Amino acid sequence: MIRDGLTVYQQIRNDIISNELKQNEKLTEAKLAKKYNVSRTPIREAIKQLEIEYFIRDGYVFIPTSEEYRDIFEMRILLETHALSKACTVYTKEDLLELKSYTEIDINQEDEETIIATNDLFHQKIIKATNNQFILETYQKLKSYIYLFSKTVIDKRRPGLIEEHKEIVEAMIDHDNKQAIHLLEEHLKKDLEFSLYYLINNTSK
């Protein structure tokens, strides 16, 4: 059954992340249509999208190894640091103020989905600086894994998460482009290592 406010795609993605849909379970259109009480058409589209995003492979949930997680994240780091180098050059004062507004959330007060959405807006704002459709499409293919890592670091309240966003923006405002890029790379690496601890332990149970 689809929960209120979620698309079929989001529900299937979330059920993969929560391990409700397991790695050895064949994900047929008929089975999923019955499970979520919808027609096969939205199921087919959701599966297609999740295959593009590497969440489903050959009809089964794809659970990466730690090395594959690292490979996926390496691509994200390359794309975002490249994007930030562009942002440091082309973003106006208004752009920086918008980016800064996404760092003013109180991680101890807001609900998890609001924090995840705000975190996503911060990183989406950076990647949009490329103004390159091919890069943006490649980044979109990582959408589910970006959500997975964001959900993990926010659910487990990784120390320094929002503070690191603030430091990146401050470096950009100070025109210290090299420092901003370094801070972003370190930020993403911390997300990776923090998340891997929980993701690998979870899948090994």
Side-chain angles (χ1 to χ4, degrees):
M1 183 69 67
I2 300 298
R3 298 191 189 99
D4 291 343
L6 294 181
T7 64
V8 175
Y9 154 78
Q10 289 171 327
Q11 185 63 66
I12 296 174
R13 178 201 63 191
N14 289 358
D15 286 345
I16 291 173
I17 289 172
S18 67
N19 205 33
E20 182 171 332
L21 291 172
K22 301 186 184 301
Q23 186 174 8
N24 60 354
E25 184 177 352
K26 181 70 173 176
L27 303 180
T28 66
E29 289 180 16
K31 182 192 291 186
L32 293 177
K34 183 177 180 180
K35 177 180 176 63
Y36 298 109
N37 194 29
V38 296
S39 70
R40 291 193 183 190
T41 300
I43 294 293
R44 189 178 303 121
E45 292 302 313
I47 289 175
K48 187 185 300 181
Q49 182 62 32
L50 289 162
E51 285 175 338
I52 290 172
E53 296 174 6
Y54 315 113
F55 252 41
I56 294 175
R57 179 180 289 177
D58 300 325
Y60 290 88
V61 173
F62 174 54
I63 304 295
T65 63
S66 60
E67 193 56 40
E68 285 169 331
Y69 273 128
R70 291 181 187 280
D71 289 344
I72 291 166
F73 226 76
E74 181 180 7
M75 190 188 306
R76 182 186 180 187
I77 290 171
L78 288 171
L79 292 174
E80 285 203 37
T81 52
H82 171 71
L84 188 63
S85 70
K86 289 282 188 95
C88 287
T89 302
V90 303
Y91 271 180
T92 63
K93 182 179 179 181
E94 288 71 26
D95 288 316
L96 293 177
L97 285 173
E98 179 185 343
L99 203 55
K100 186 177 180 182
S101 72
Y102 302 138
T103 72
E104 294 169 352
I105 190 168
D106 188 338
I107 199 169
N108 297 311
Q109 296 293 326
E110 296 289 351
D111 64 273
E112 182 178 296
E113 286 303 321
T114 299
I115 301 168
I116 290 173
T118 306
N119 181 69
D120 183 59
L121 286 170
F122 178 85
H123 288 280
Q124 287 286 349
K125 179 65 178 177
I126 290 172
I127 201 72
K128 285 176 183 175
T130 64
N131 197 30
N132 182 317
Q133 192 59 39
F134 296 101
I135 289 176
L136 294 175
E137 287 176 1
T138 301
Y139 191 79
Q140 279 299 107
K141 290 180 180 180
L142 303 178
K143 184 178 177 181
S144 284
Y145 281 104
I146 290 172
Y147 178 85
L148 170 61
F149 278 84
S150 296
K151 185 174 177 62
T152 305
V153 298
I154 290 165
D155 177 59
K156 304 301 181 182
R157 294 299 192 269
R158 178 172 82 73
L161 181 68
I162 301 302
E163 289 77 6
E164 290 162 17
H165 284 184
K166 291 178 180 178
E167 290 171 359
I168 292 165
V169 178
E170 287 169 4
M172 294 174 73
I173 292 171
D174 291 341
H175 304 291
D176 192 345
N177 301 355
K178 187 175 180 180
Q179 176 67 357
I181 293 166
H182 170 73
L183 289 170
L184 176 61
E185 183 171 355
E186 290 303 304
H187 167 73
L188 292 174
K189 286 179 177 177
K190 287 176 183 177
D191 277 357
L192 171 64
E193 297 304 329
F194 185 88
S195 298
L196 274 181
Y197 173 81
Y198 293 99
L199 294 172
I200 297 303
N201 284 346
N202 184 54
T203 55
S204 64
K205 290 180 181 178

